[in-house]
Amino acid sequence: MKDLKKIENKWQKEWKKSKIFEAEPDKRKKFFTSLVIAYPSGDLHIGHARTFTRSDIIARFKRMQGYNVLCTTGFHATGNRAVVLAKRIANKDKNTIKTLKDLYSLSDKEIKGFANKPEKVVRFFMEKGTETLNLGGFALDWRRRFISIDPHFSKFIDWQFRTLKKKGYVSKGSHPVIFCPKCDSPITQSDRDEGENAIVSEISLWKYKLDNGVILPAATLRPETIFAITNVFLHPDAKYVLVKVGKESWIVSDAAAKKLKQQRPNLEILDEIDPINVIGQKVSNPVTNDKMLVLPGPFINPDATTGVVASEPSDAPDDHIALEELKKSSQLARYNLTAKDIEKIKYKSLIKLEGYGDFPAVDICKQMKITSLSDEDKLLEAKKTIYKLQFHKGVMKKISGKFAGMSVSDAIEAVKKEYKNKLDVMYEPSERVTCKCGAECYIKLLQDQWFINYGNKKWKSQVKKYLKEMNVYPEFWRQAFEAALDWVSDKACVRKSGLGTPLPWDKEWVIETLSDSTIYMVFFIIDKFIKPNKIKAEQLNDDFFNYVLLGRGNCKTVPKKVLNNIKKDFNYWYPLDWRNSAKDLLNNHLLYFIYNHIAIFPKKNWPKTISVNGYVNLEGEKMSKSKGKATTFRTAIQTYGADVTRTVSVISTSPEQDSDWRDEDAENMVKWRNKFYELINRLAKTKKFVKENNSDKWLLSRSMSTIDIVTQNLEKLESRDAAQYCLYQMMSDFRWYLRRNNNQVSKTAKKIATDWVKLIAVYMPHISEELWKDLGQKGFISNASWPKVDKKKIDKKAEESELRIQKSLDDVQHILKIIGKKPKEIYLYVVPNELKLYKESEDFFSKEFSARVHIYAVNDKNKYDPEKKSSKAKPGKPGIYIE
RNA sequence: GCAGGAGUUCCCGAGCGGUCUAAGGGGCUGGGUUUAGGACCCAGUGGCUUAGUGCCUUCGCAGGUUCGAAUCCUGCCUCCUGCACCA
């Protein structure tokens, strides 16, 4: 057999030489798509294989359908990753260097050259990535490749941002992030030691006032309990401070003051406060104005939130038990309090909860026999139980005034809204977070941030409306999309570090990754003109983009002729017909992509179709978790060949699900490919064809249905279904056909095989080109026309007849199994109109059973039928006699 | 916590109101082919039964709707993903 890997290389060269993938406008209908631009901080991984192959399959399919297809890609270097990598190399980080060596076989010298040179890193891997895509057989127009740190591209981003700003979609604000004080920077999941999954949670602060006007800000996740608060707790032995916040004075724990300082730059620490002096005083409830005591709470954690806790003992088991304990406390005198003071505290029933009385906290503590704060585990469980029940099923009682009758979950939001002016907020990580450097992290409110206002109601509703008009494949994702759209809000679009384009009007900021990659597909069209016309970045000013992209104004920096060519190309190719990406971009990039098109371009240029696919796991493990042995796209190609790698990466599961890369699958696919190649190659060489019988009509009918299904599925990019039919279904039909015909083929079968190779060509383009040539066809199969479905050739009768043969084969086998002996003679008695069908299959049956098979019509007077089995014959079910 | 999903036979993985013991692989068992191994081909793979048949049981758990449920509804359990400065 030929070396199928050499074949791949040969056809890649042929394609390049003949430039068949370089697209120029012509009279055909166009189809414009692109691979999602990859981040080149390493070579492409196996996840890219899936997403990219899907795009390539659709591009190749459309090309064969007769469209003028433009498919291309570029690289995205914006952001911090390469900067961090280059820094780590400079610091001689062993893991980083080892990974680079293991995965990409780089030499020490090469690696050393990357130290503190992020640009060098990304440009190096851009070349690697390009190579890999070529090895994968991607049908791309490489004249349009760019990287997002090219100065020309930056000019495009300048224009985009100025345009957005003019339209009022960019504004300044503040933004909470999880922050490491030691590294002095926001800290992402991968930089964390503990609390990888922590998120920023917003905590409400109710401001309880002492008589002297000083505020005790109590933190809570349940602001609706304000109506039933009975007292406030301070830790008697913790360090508290008096701080100034704007015009107000607050008392908070020392730890809290330090955290709050990060969220409120105007906060000033004035003085240390002894909590003992505050305990025993009275504060007023900010909503009800009720007076209540400040009590000692040795159980509270002064480091959490503000160190001030409001107590709601009817619903919070902790608070209830704390008060119970306090009644018996011997320490009360220390705070000038008496047990009577505590006993006077009256619980207020706030939330109606089925199965519980007025005070659920009291009930559950009784039930669970909790009597002391030292029963920590039980208390936690009780708290969780009540909280969960109340959140989902609790109903607010009369005491809550206008919120009465609301569910607790609704009331929380309603209270926040109603008392917007009285409530304050602070932010905390949802769990403890520590940085890899060891320091504990907290939330910092970044000031003077620039935002793109994706929360803008009008803009959002435009997106929502247009989303309904767009095609989303698989339809499965549309719901997820709409849900994500509901949640998307203003997005901080600049950072202080990393590669990228400086914000045009505030150059100390750099536009971040997801914000400079929203409409980059436009740049594929422009980029092609830059080199040949020696256009400099400075020439690409706003006038240029306004003229070529929006058809507005005048541009004097670029020659008129070039300008109009670009404009012509843009009008021909745009909009993007198909955007395919992995699901990680669903919540962000894909939405921003639609948002920005809608903001900047007229409707005729808005994208048409979005498709999404799941991730790829490696041997059942997440790629990020399978340490060290991460398979790259390139090694997969080198091991199994491009055709196999491509096919395996899209065939294993349906697009909406995560798939799994298993070497075993790839090995099976290698077998399949070889079998396919040998089969078609043998057909190609066949000169002697057999006479046709029912199985030819059957095969033709089956192949027409298969082509039909494959075509329909590719239209929706249901790659798995399409592949399953055109690989496995077709193969199993051919196998039956060959079995039926003693491994011989007819002319019809060879023609069907030719169509089959065309179907396979989108998955396995290399081997298909080779077989195309073997079959004596001209030109590239990549440019051949997609097989047409002739529904007239779908022959239900022939299929049914073939089914009868199969069934009869089964019946005989079944009997043979039961009688358990080797047959010498087999007699089949068929109804008269089936005689021809069975008679032409007589040899086939004989061969299958290694016995002489005799076919008789039931009305044949000369038949041999000692046991009168012919009387059992029905249509499709011959009588059977075996000797 | 909020949001979006998933749980199918030994394993992977289809099916998403009747044609479902439930596609397709893999594994295992038997047979063929082969000098042998491999590869390849055929058959079997819940239980009982049978000259090509018939019955019972099964799709996370528990209920419900229906003439009929793996498929629809309700509740529960378990698992996965995202929640933003990270590409």
Side-chain angles (χ1 to χ4, degrees):
Chain A
M1 201 166 94
K2 285 186 203 174
D3 183 342
L4 295 177
K5 265 195 216 144
K6 277 200 182 135
I7 288 178
E8 296 191 341
N9 202 273
K10 170 179 129 193
W11 287 105
Q12 283 156 14
K13 277 188 192 147
E14 292 282 331
W15 291 328
K16 195 175 176 192
K17 210 169 81 193
S18 60
K19 304 184 174 180
I20 61 169
F21 303 128
E22 296 188 359
E24 291 296 336
D26 61 24
K27 288 199 172 121
R28 286 176 293 168
K29 244 183 131 181
K30 65 93 186 181
F31 186 84
F32 177 30
T33 185
S34 85
L35 312 187
V36 176
I37 54 179
Y39 193 98
S41 63
D43 199 357
L44 303 174
H45 54 71
I46 205 74
H48 288 113
R50 186 179 187 197
T51 309
F52 288 177
T53 305
R54 272 163 61 85
S55 299
D56 191 55
I57 284 172
I58 207 65
R60 285 177 173 276
F61 169 61
K62 288 285 169 188
R63 174 185 308 278
M64 290 175 78
Q65 280 190 320
Y67 287 88
N68 185 15
V69 173
L70 169 57
C71 182
T72 184
T73 196
F75 290 85
H76 195 211
T78 309
N80 246 328
R81 206 190 277 175
V83 178
V84 171
L85 187 72
K87 207 189 245 169
R88 284 198 184 138
I89 292 169
N91 294 340
K92 303 203 168 69
D93 181 275
K94 274 183 193 148
N95 279 334
T96 308
I97 291 168
K98 187 174 181 303
T99 312
L100 286 174
K101 270 189 184 169
D102 290 355
L103 279 177
Y104 314 122
S105 341
L106 297 181
S107 69
D108 285 319
K109 205 183 148 200
E110 278 175 302
I111 294 172
K112 226 174 158 186
F114 292 149
N116 285 327
K117 293 198 173 135
E119 278 214 32
K120 203 168 167 190
V121 172
V122 293
R123 290 198 184 269
F124 176 84
F125 283 114
M126 170 166 78
E127 296 308 328
K128 280 269 173 199
T130 305
E131 244 174 71
T132 303
L133 289 170
N134 282 327
L135 290 172
F138 285 82
L140 302 171
D141 183 348
W142 281 119
R143 299 170 302 164
R144 302 163 187 276
R145 183 187 79 166
F146 64 83
I147 185 161
S148 67
I149 51 171
D150 284 337
H152 295 84
F153 184 79
S154 282
K155 299 297 280 184
F156 174 59
I157 298 302
D158 279 356
W159 169 78
Q160 179 194 349
F161 268 76
R162 273 195 288 262
T163 307
L164 286 177
K165 189 157 183 254
K166 261 182 221 153
K167 299 201 178 226
Y169 289 142
V170 181
S171 65
K172 216 172 188 182
S174 60
H175 183 63
V177 291
I178 297 178
F179 196 85
C180 173
K182 204 169 146 200
C183 305
D184 193 33
S185 78
I187 203 94
T188 63
Q189 282 193 6
S190 52
D191 299 328
R192 294 177 202 166
D193 200 17
E194 272 179 76
E196 227 187 286
N197 296 316
I199 56 168
V200 176
S201 59
E202 192 186 292
I203 295 168
S204 303
L205 299 184
W206 279 119
K207 295 187 266 191
Y208 296 84
K209 245 182 216 165
L210 288 163
D211 288 339
N212 60 8
V214 172
I215 287 167
L216 295 184
T220 180
L221 286 167
R222 296 198 43 191
E224 89 289 2
T225 56
I226 189 68
F227 302 101
I229 300 297
T230 58
N231 62 285
V232 170
F233 285 120
L234 290 186
H235 195 292
D237 305 312
K239 199 171 155 192
Y240 281 84
V241 288
L242 182 70
V243 298
K244 202 168 156 243
V245 181
K247 286 177 184 164
E248 298 174 346
S249 301
W250 293 7
I251 291 175
V252 294
S253 72
D254 184 49
K258 288 188 179 122
K259 285 190 282 183
L260 277 169
K261 176 83 184 144
Q262 299 303 320
Q263 297 171 22
R264 298 164 183 276
N266 65 349
L267 183 142
E268 274 177 70
I269 297 175
L270 297 178
D271 205 357
E272 205 171 299
I273 294 275
D274 186 351
I276 304 287
N277 296 334
V278 183
I279 291 169
Q281 290 194 42
K282 288 206 165 173
V283 288
S284 58
N285 180 310
V287 172
T288 64
N289 291 320
D290 290 346
K291 292 279 184 186
M292 52 189 71
L293 278 172
V294 178
L295 295 178
F299 61 97
I300 69 168
N301 176 4
D303 294 340
T305 62
T306 53
V308 180
V309 173
S311 153
E312 206 264 290
S314 33
D315 298 299
D318 288 312
D319 294 344
H320 166 60
I321 297 295
L323 289 178
E324 288 296 307
E325 279 197 350
L326 208 51
K327 279 179 199 167
K328 296 174 228 149
S329 169
S330 55
Q331 303 273 315
L332 281 175
R334 187 181 156 205
Y335 318 110
N336 287 323
L337 289 166
T338 62
K340 242 187 189 163
D341 292 328
I342 314 294
E343 277 156 18
K344 261 197 254 165
I345 291 174
K346 267 205 182 130
Y347 289 13
K348 296 172 191 171
S349 180
L350 176 69
I351 293 163
K352 195 173 140 200
L353 187 63
E354 216 163 294
Y356 289 90
D358 283 346
F359 310 120
V362 178
D363 294 349
I364 199 163
C365 288
K366 244 185 223 160
Q367 266 172 35
M368 296 179 65
K369 301 201 172 82
I370 303 170
T371 52
S372 155
L373 285 170
S374 53
D375 289 341
E376 282 175 33
D377 295 343
K378 279 196 199 167
L379 265 176
L380 191 69
E381 198 192 322
K383 190 173 156 188
K384 272 190 179 164
T385 308
I386 295 290
Y387 188 98
K388 207 173 167 184
L389 279 174
Q390 289 191 331
F391 189 82
H392 293 288
K393 291 178 180 160
V395 177
M396 300 299 286
K397 286 190 172 176
K398 214 167 155 190
I399 187 177
S400 64
K402 64 190 291 187
F403 305 101
M406 277 189 193
S407 72
V408 169
S409 51
D410 289 345
I412 290 175
E413 293 311 311
V415 167
K416 276 190 197 167
K417 209 173 155 197
E418 175 74 22
Y419 298 108
K420 213 165 52 194
N421 298 328
K422 287 192 173 179
L423 267 171
D424 237 298
V425 292
M426 78 175 287
Y427 301 95
E428 285 266 279
S430 58
E431 57 189 281
R432 190 182 138 90
V433 176
T434 54
C435 178
K436 287 232 164 98
C437 76
E440 182 164 357
C441 301
Y442 47 77
I443 309 296
K444 179 168 178 150
L445 209 57
L446 293 182
Q447 305 293 329
D448 299 329
Q449 268 277 339
W450 287 95
F451 287 83
I452 302 182
N453 307 133
Y454 295 126
N456 180 304
K457 275 191 187 144
K458 206 179 128 206
W459 198 7
K460 189 183 264 199
S461 73
Q462 265 181 300
V463 173
K464 213 170 200 169
K465 197 171 148 216
Y466 186 63
L467 191 58
K468 287 201 198 318
E469 291 176 37
M470 289 180 84
N471 299 313
V472 177
Y473 294 127
E475 205 31 56
F476 173 92
W477 289 112
R478 189 184 290 276
Q479 215 181 334
F481 243 124
E482 280 169 358
L485 186 56
D486 281 338
W487 283 102
V488 75
S489 60
D490 294 357
K491 153 110 185 129
C493 61
V494 290
R495 310 202 54 180
K496 287 276 181 188
S497 62
L499 299 178
T501 305
L503 192 67
W505 57 85
D506 194 351
K507 302 258 178 190
E508 63 176 300
W509 292 100
V510 175
I511 293 166
E512 62 83 47
T513 323
L514 286 163
S515 302
D516 82 345
S517 59
T518 58
I519 55 168
Y520 64 79
M521 314 82 205
V522 170
F523 208 70
F524 291 127
I525 295 164
I526 296 168
D527 195 63
K528 194 201 90 180
F529 292 91
I530 289 174
K531 253 194 199 151
N533 295 297
K534 298 195 176 87
I535 298 173
K536 292 199 179 85
E538 304 83 72
Q539 291 171 264
L540 303 182
N541 58 11
D542 286 3
D543 287 346
F544 167 82
F545 292 109
N546 282 330
Y547 183 79
V548 298
L549 302 180
L550 302 176
R552 276 191 212 141
N554 233 319
C555 171
K556 287 180 184 143
T557 52
V558 174
K560 204 80 192 169
K561 206 178 147 200
V562 178
L563 215 52
N564 285 332
N565 278 338
I566 300 176
K567 192 173 161 188
K568 204 183 92 206
D569 271 26
F570 176 75
N571 288 331
Y572 178 80
W573 291 115
Y574 233 67
L576 195 74
D577 292 282
W578 197 297
R579 158 118 295 218
N580 178 53
S581 93
K583 70 177 182 190
D584 52 342
L585 299 182
L586 186 134
N587 283 328
N588 41 58
H589 166 78
L590 285 173
L591 285 173
Y592 305 155
F593 159 71
I594 305 172
Y595 264 102
N596 282 274
H597 274 92
I598 286 179
I600 294 169
F601 296 101
K603 190 166 178 184
K604 62 171 185 179
N605 287 330
W606 296 355
K608 301 266 195 225
T609 300
I610 284 182
S611 70
V612 182
N613 57 258
Y615 297 128
V616 176
N617 296 334
L618 274 175
E619 303 288 349
E621 277 187 69
K622 270 197 233 165
M623 205 137 45
S624 53
K625 283 185 184 159
S626 84
K627 289 167 195 131
K629 63 167 195 176
T631 303
T632 64
F633 196 174
R634 181 182 297 240
T635 52
I637 292 171
Q638 282 163 348
T639 314
Y640 304 109
D643 283 341
V644 168
T645 304
R646 292 165 59 99
T647 312
V648 170
S649 63
V650 297
I651 202 174
S652 49
T653 35
S654 55
E656 67 270 19
Q657 290 181 349
D658 294 346
S659 68
D660 196 7
W661 175 273
R662 273 179 247 142
D663 288 333
E664 195 192 318
D665 291 351
E667 276 151 24
N668 286 330
M669 189 58 71
V670 169
K671 283 186 206 163
W672 191 93
R673 179 199 61 187
N674 295 348
K675 198 154 75 175
F676 175 73
Y677 179 79
E678 276 174 46
L679 174 62
I680 305 293
N681 187 258
R682 189 162 69 78
L683 294 191
K685 285 183 193 149
T686 301
K687 300 255 159 56
K688 259 176 70 188
F689 298 102
V690 294
K691 220 179 115 200
E692 312 219 338
N693 59 35
N694 186 68
S695 65
D696 290 282
K697 284 189 212 151
W698 172 84
L699 185 65
L700 186 60
S701 175
R702 296 277 291 178
S703 70
M704 283 302 153
S705 310
T706 304
I707 293 169
D708 194 25
I709 292 170
V710 170
T711 310
Q712 280 177 33
N713 277 305
L714 282 178
E715 294 281 4
K716 297 183 286 179
L717 199 47
E718 285 287 352
S719 45
R720 190 207 51 212
D721 285 358
Q724 269 188 348
Y725 277 96
C726 77
L727 272 82
Y728 300 135
Q729 177 82 269
M730 222 39 173
M731 184 61 95
S732 95
D733 287 351
F734 253 92
R735 264 157 59 181
W736 170 255
Y737 177 87
L738 291 170
R739 189 176 161 195
R740 275 278 269 143
N741 295 286
N742 201 11
N743 267 324
Q744 310 263 277
V745 291
S746 67
K747 277 194 173 157
T748 304
K750 185 174 173 183
K751 213 173 145 273
I752 293 167
T754 311
D755 275 354
W756 186 14
V757 179
K758 285 189 190 172
L759 303 185
I760 297 296
V762 297
Y763 294 93
M764 303 187 164
H766 308 89
I767 199 182
S768 303
E769 290 287 6
E770 187 70 15
L771 287 167
W772 188 245
K773 207 187 80 198
D774 292 348
L775 284 161
Q777 304 286 343
K778 298 240 157 57
F780 291 106
I781 197 169
S782 302
N783 280 335
S785 64
W786 190 251
K788 293 234 162 26
V789 179
D790 184 352
K791 294 225 166 154
K792 276 185 232 138
K793 299 264 168 65
I794 297 180
D795 184 345
K796 287 288 163 213
K797 242 182 163 174
E799 291 197 28
E800 216 173 274
S801 298
E802 204 59 16
L803 214 62
R804 290 179 187 191
I805 299 288
Q806 278 171 9
K807 185 77 175 106
S808 300
L809 196 67
D810 273 358
D811 285 348
V812 174
Q813 251 154 12
H814 199 139
I815 298 168
L816 286 175
K817 208 188 154 203
I818 291 163
I819 61 176
K821 62 173 185 188
K822 283 208 165 187
K824 287 198 189 101
E825 307 281 333
I826 297 169
Y827 301 88
L828 299 181
Y829 313 100
V830 303
V831 296
N833 65 359
E834 285 176 349
L835 187 64
K836 184 174 171 267
L837 173 68
Y838 278 84
K839 205 69 188 170
E840 70 178 23
S841 314
E842 204 168 27
D843 289 346
F844 165 65
F845 280 118
S846 299
K847 192 176 164 277
E848 284 291 320
F849 300 118
S850 312
R852 186 86 199 113
V853 175
H854 309 269
I855 312 283
Y856 292 110
V858 285
N859 56 359
D860 187 339
K861 291 201 178 95
N862 299 322
K863 63 180 181 289
Y864 172 75
D865 186 12
E867 288 193 11
K868 296 277 172 265
K869 293 288 186 190
S870 61
S871 63
K872 281 201 165 185
K874 285 179 209 155
K877 212 166 162 50
I880 300 165
Y881 176 64
I882 296 170
E883 289 191 331

